[in-house]
Amino acid sequence: MDRRQFLAGGTAAAAIAPAAATLPLRPIGAAAALPVTDRFTVDGTAWQVREDWSTRDGLLALVRGDAAVLLPKRTEAMHATVQPPYLGLELKAIAMADADLLADALLAGGGDPDPARVRDAAPPSGSRFEADKLSARLGWTSFVGTRQAGDTMPVFPNGRTRGYRPEHVFPALEGDKGVVTRFEGLLGGWLPAVHKAIPIAEGGWYDLLVFADVDADDPLLVQTWHRTVRVEGGRPVEVHYGHSYAPFPPRRQNPDAAAFYRALLRLATVWQGELADLAPAALPDPALTDMVAHAFAKEIVVRPGGTYPKYGVVDRDYVGPEYDGFQDTFTSSVYANLEWGRFAQAKAVFDQYFDAFVGADGMVDMRGPEVAQFGLTLSLAARYLRYTGDVATIARVKGKLAATAQILAELHDASLALPAGERGHGLLHGWSESDACLHPDPSLWWKPYWNNSAWAVRGWRDIAGVWPAIGTAGEAADWSRRADRLQAHLVRRIRQEVRRDLTPAYLGPLPGAEGTWRQALATGKRSEQGWSHRVYAELLQADVLPADLANLVADCVRGHGGTCIGVTANFAPANDDHRDQLGFISYGHARALLRLDRIEEYLLFLHSHRFHSHSRGSWVAGEVSGITGDLPLFCIPAQLTVPLLVRWLMAIEDDEADRLDLGRGIPRAWFASGEAVTLNRAPTRWGRVDYTTRFDRAGRQATATIGFPARGPREARVRFRLPEGARPVSATVNGRRARLDSDTVVIDARAGGRFEVSVRTS
């Protein structure tokens, strides 16, 4: 592709700078009726604190004149609220079954799954753990931090940190066993500010706020602000403020209210600036847009300086430097930030990773490189270039990218040199999972897993499509030829390996696998079928299989023990007492469900990941999360899953065709609400796209307004997943009658411009 075409269709490199932070002021609105609880000044300007204490989710407003910084509260129960759990099913049956019994129950009868039923299908993650049984781990349930700090600060169930304890002022908060029943949330909906409400028997509650000091300049230490309130009868009867540590009078005193609220104002201002480039979205379920924003805020907190990679936080085994070069941390970040228009962050992460962790030979500075992730890296480099038009960033590392592509070519050539009768002939051998190299004999997992070849196909094809702008046409042609040859062989071999004697039909994770993966793991011996969850998720994500095979793989995963409440399961031997979700590499599985038009399953995946792969309210995402209330280990790739799922249900590109799908996965309930679904300035390979849709039940009309750049896709498919009982009967585009394909209107948007789409319903 010609370099000028990129710069005309995307965003020039010089334009990808983050916006400056400004006060996030809004009209005061309903906050004007709230009582004034405190006052403070900033640079001589008077501010009021107005707060609703009639409910634990009351609004907090920082008011200046007739404008305010509005900080809503929304808490969720961090304890089981429905009995019996598991929709009345037995845990042993759920754990042992090949079928995903909870998913089957939630999808029974057809139609979209009910988010409330999905939420209540299992106890909240982290709600039933016992800290004294965590071995060397600390029993923290959330954490706070800043961009500039090199570390994070854990927050425990009762609101304490490693430096400050609320039980110093309220002894009833001592320890965590007394706060099992509690509600948690984030101030402002998404800010990295932990809000807890711990009920008191008399009907009131302890209300706690904890957030990091955004102006502290300690290189590693995270300074924290605290407010602890006893609420009775709908009013605060005792309030205490703290900063980082217990007081040491007379030298160190607790801060006053004014200092706390100045710090809170700074928190809101700084974080609003950090996410100023996030593509604006509005949904009937605002918690999902808040989850998107919070995920990106958490990523900045987790990464020292906002960009240096860390896989986890606090716990040494996940935050240690030996994990910093983990490919999944890089690829999940670049992918999610690109999809939400955060080009500056994507560029910073890309530059930092290629400079610090990718060698001139394409190898990554990380134990156990994963073959499929090399292909995903190439694909994301191409996506970055298509979205941003930033040729300079990709051209600067073109040697390393070419070397990455060559790693896959070397593995491909080695497989072609094998005898034609060998099971792995023509398929890329190598580690699929990084952890393989930790075992005494890692060669057990140096095998021709399907995902290795699938992502080589996708990576070569995508990078070849943009390579003429930065490299040679000869290299691009070679990669394209390899992709076509390998894809044809991969599809042929998969068809040969399908076991149709099982129901549903079964495909093992690699050719020649003996038995199913569950049978292999049940032996208790190390098996080449270990970590098969990664194989299936990445095979589906690469999107190189014909639809019939992709559907077969999705059916195989769900029907042979591979999902948990609709989310990719953590593959382990069947057992009596647990079944776990895999939170951190499963987004590719979900993407395939959407692409295959398995919308109900896609929505179940989204809701289940939200409620069971995240802690409630404070939204800490687990790498692997059980369904018994145990405490999972956080990892940032898991946190970046919901942003991808929310983006795709509104707007998703086809990997091969010149096509953009809009509204493909919107829940029917959102249309039934009559509220608008909006995604503005959504990045695509054609440029930024604006999209708004809604349904007017009284007027029996669904509408969508779409704005394309000067060059749009050949085909934009606008879908209207109408409420049950509403049937589309006719459609118009810009006032002219248009063809209606079931619930979808197809637009030729190659000339760009604005389109008004309307569908009349019966």
Side-chain angles (χ1 to χ4, degrees):
M1 182 174 288
D2 184 76
R3 179 180 186 274
R4 290 168 296 177
Q5 193 172 351
F6 278 108
L7 296 179
T11 303
I16 54 174
T22 57
L23 280 172
L25 289 169
R26 298 180 181 180
I28 188 171
L34 297 178
V36 177
T37 57
D38 281 289
R39 302 175 190 272
F40 64 101
T41 61
V42 177
D43 297 331
T45 300
W47 288 77
Q48 297 175 340
V49 180
R50 295 175 177 265
E51 191 162 3
D52 178 8
W53 288 104
S54 65
T55 170
R56 64 175 181 269
D57 292 339
L59 175 67
L60 191 162
L62 307 178
V63 180
R64 187 185 72 183
D66 59 357
V69 175
L70 303 177
L71 301 173
K73 302 171 189 171
R74 179 182 55 247
T75 56
E76 300 179 55
M78 265 297 292
H79 51 278
T81 57
V82 174
Q83 294 295 337
Y86 311 119
L87 306 178
L89 300 172
E90 293 294 326
L91 177 59
K92 179 178 179 179
I94 294 167
M96 293 295 294
D98 282 345
D100 186 344
L101 299 183
L102 290 173
D104 291 349
L106 291 164
L107 294 171
D112 292 354
D114 177 2
R117 285 197 76 217
V118 178
R119 178 197 63 205
D120 295 338
S125 178
S127 63
R128 291 182 172 180
F129 74 95
E130 296 181 50
D132 56 359
K133 295 182 180 180
L134 294 177
S135 186
R137 285 183 59 195
L138 297 173
W140 59 274
T141 53
S142 54
F143 61 93
V144 294
T146 66
R147 170 184 284 276
Q148 65 272 22
D151 209 337
T152 56
M153 178 63 75
V155 181
F156 294 80
N158 74 340
R160 72 185 184 280
T161 65
R162 297 291 281 171
Y164 183 89
R165 288 179 172 265
E167 59 263 46
H168 288 173
V169 292
F170 291 118
L173 294 175
E174 181 180 357
D176 294 329
K177 292 184 178 180
V179 298
V180 171
T181 299
R182 66 185 188 280
F183 299 84
E184 299 217 4
L186 299 163
L187 189 63
W190 62 267
L191 295 173
V194 175
H195 174 220
K196 294 174 181 279
I198 300 169
I200 300 173
E202 299 89 319
W205 70 91
Y206 292 107
D207 195 275
L208 296 87
L209 290 178
V210 184
F211 59 90
D213 187 336
V214 296
D215 291 321
D217 58 3
D218 307 88
L220 289 172
L221 179 67
V222 176
Q223 304 278 358
T224 52
W225 287 94
H226 304 258
R227 188 187 75 173
T228 311
V229 184
R230 183 181 174 97
V231 183
E232 295 178 359
R235 63 185 184 88
V237 296
E238 188 176 350
V239 184
H240 296 271
Y241 301 95
H243 184 263
S244 300
Y245 312 110
F248 189 90
R251 293 290 183 175
R252 177 185 289 153
Q253 302 282 4
N254 280 329
D256 61 10
F260 175 87
Y261 291 115
R262 278 192 290 268
L264 182 58
L265 180 62
R266 282 288 296 151
L267 176 91
T269 302
V270 167
W271 282 105
Q272 189 73 27
E274 289 279 12
L275 271 60
D277 58 353
L278 187 68
L283 306 178
D285 185 351
L288 286 174
T289 50
D290 282 345
M291 288 189 85
V292 170
H294 182 68
F296 291 118
K298 245 193 182 92
E299 184 194 25
I300 293 171
V301 166
V302 168
R303 289 176 172 265
T307 57
Y308 186 87
K310 286 292 178 183
Y311 182 61
V313 295
V314 183
D315 301 288
R316 174 61 179 80
D317 193 39
Y318 273 41
V319 77
E322 65 273 17
Y323 289 93
D324 295 350
F326 192 37
Q327 291 157 290
D328 297 79
T329 304
F330 167 73
T331 53
S332 63
S333 173
V334 172
Y335 207 158
N337 279 286
L338 283 177
E339 292 291 73
W340 282 93
R342 288 179 47 77
F343 294 165
Q345 179 72 0
K347 173 180 168 53
V349 168
F350 193 95
D351 285 343
Q352 198 282 331
Y353 190 76
F354 268 81
D355 288 348
F357 294 95
V358 181
D361 61 355
M363 285 300 293
V364 294
D365 195 7
M366 168 68 183
R367 50 88 171 155
E370 298 159 341
V371 174
Q373 290 290 312
F374 285 123
L376 179 53
T377 294
L378 294 174
S379 178
L380 289 173
R383 184 177 295 264
Y384 177 88
L385 189 47
R386 291 184 183 277
Y387 276 21
T388 69
D390 178 10
V391 175
T393 290
I394 303 302
R396 188 177 69 83
V397 297
K398 70 176 183 179
K400 293 182 177 182
L401 287 170
T404 301
Q406 185 59 26
I407 289 172
L408 299 176
E410 291 167 358
L411 294 173
H412 187 214
D413 289 342
S415 73
L416 292 170
L418 295 173
E422 287 202 15
R423 63 171 177 166
H425 172 79
L427 299 173
L428 276 69
H429 292 57
W431 294 321
S432 169
E433 166 59 47
S434 181
D435 287 349
C437 76
L438 299 179
H439 291 264
D441 181 12
S443 66
L444 177 61
W445 297 282
W446 191 270
K447 296 290 171 63
Y449 298 106
W450 305 122
N451 56 324
N452 293 348
S453 295
W455 267 109
V457 171
R458 173 57 55 207
W460 280 330
R461 184 166 292 154
D462 289 351
I463 200 67
V466 302
W467 199 251
I470 56 173
T472 70
E475 289 172 311
D478 177 60
W479 297 332
S480 293
R481 283 193 297 267
R482 284 184 179 275
D484 292 344
R485 179 181 183 180
L486 180 56
Q487 182 180 21
H489 182 66
L490 175 67
V491 170
R492 183 167 57 252
R493 287 294 286 120
I494 285 178
R495 290 196 186 281
Q496 293 170 352
E497 291 290 326
V498 173
R499 290 188 56 182
R500 299 191 181 275
D501 59 315
L502 299 178
T503 303
Y506 179 80
L507 175 72
L510 74 167
E514 296 185 4
T516 67
W517 67 263
R518 267 196 156 189
Q519 290 168 344
L521 298 185
T523 66
K525 301 177 182 178
R526 294 188 178 100
S527 167
E528 66 178 7
Q529 298 194 56
W531 306 293
S532 293
H533 42 240
R534 184 182 283 275
V535 176
Y536 293 114
E538 291 180 342
L539 171 62
L540 287 168
Q541 181 186 355
D543 192 14
V544 297
L545 300 182
D548 68 309
L549 280 185
N551 274 302
L552 185 148
V553 173
D555 290 340
C556 164
V557 173
R558 180 175 163 188
H560 290 282
T563 65
C564 176
I565 322 185
V567 174
T568 315
N570 184 52
F571 285 20
N575 62 90
D576 288 351
D577 58 7
H578 71 273
R579 188 165 180 148
D580 302 337
Q581 293 186 339
L582 189 73
F584 86 111
I585 58 170
S586 53
Y587 61 88
H589 180 184
R591 186 180 186 275
L593 295 174
L594 181 64
R595 179 174 49 79
L596 294 168
D597 217 30
R598 300 168 70 138
I599 307 303
E600 292 81 7
E601 291 173 83
Y602 181 82
L603 292 175
L604 174 59
F605 198 115
L606 169 64
H607 300 322
S608 186
H609 201 286
R610 167 186 173 178
F611 289 119
H612 302 294
S613 284
H614 288 71
S615 62
R616 305 282 172 88
S618 57
W619 295 334
V620 178
E623 177 195 58
V624 174
S625 300
I627 57 172
T628 61
D630 60 344
L631 186 66
L633 275 166
F634 163 83
C635 76
I636 193 60
Q639 196 81 48
L640 294 171
T641 296
V642 164
L644 288 167
L645 270 58
V646 172
R647 154 64 201 252
W648 291 334
L649 68 82
M650 293 183 283
I652 186 170
E653 301 177 33
D654 190 273
D655 287 321
E656 303 288 353
D658 189 9
R659 188 177 83 198
L660 176 68
D661 279 277
L662 295 166
R664 184 167 189 146
I666 290 178
R668 296 190 188 279
W670 291 4
F671 274 114
S673 74
E675 298 180 53
V677 175
T678 297
L679 176 64
N680 286 328
R681 293 186 53 73
T684 71
R685 63 179 182 260
W686 305 277
R688 299 277 191 165
V689 174
D690 295 331
Y691 168 64
T692 297
T693 189
R694 62 164 54 87
F695 177 61
D696 177 3
R697 186 181 290 275
R700 296 189 301 174
Q701 179 172 277
T703 58
T705 302
I706 307 122
F708 291 102
R711 184 183 68 86
R714 175 185 294 274
E715 187 178 279
R717 297 178 60 84
V718 187
R719 188 172 197 178
F720 299 90
R721 297 190 73 245
L722 299 171
E724 296 294 338
R727 185 173 62 87
V729 294
S730 64
T732 61
V733 177
N734 291 341
R736 296 183 177 182
R737 191 171 184 85
R739 184 170 67 88
L740 184 63
D741 182 6
S742 182
D743 58 0
T744 301
V745 179
V746 181
I747 300 170
D748 184 340
R750 283 175 289 181
R754 184 179 176 89
F755 294 83
E756 298 285 346
V757 184
S758 178
V759 169
R760 299 288 298 178
T761 70
S762 62

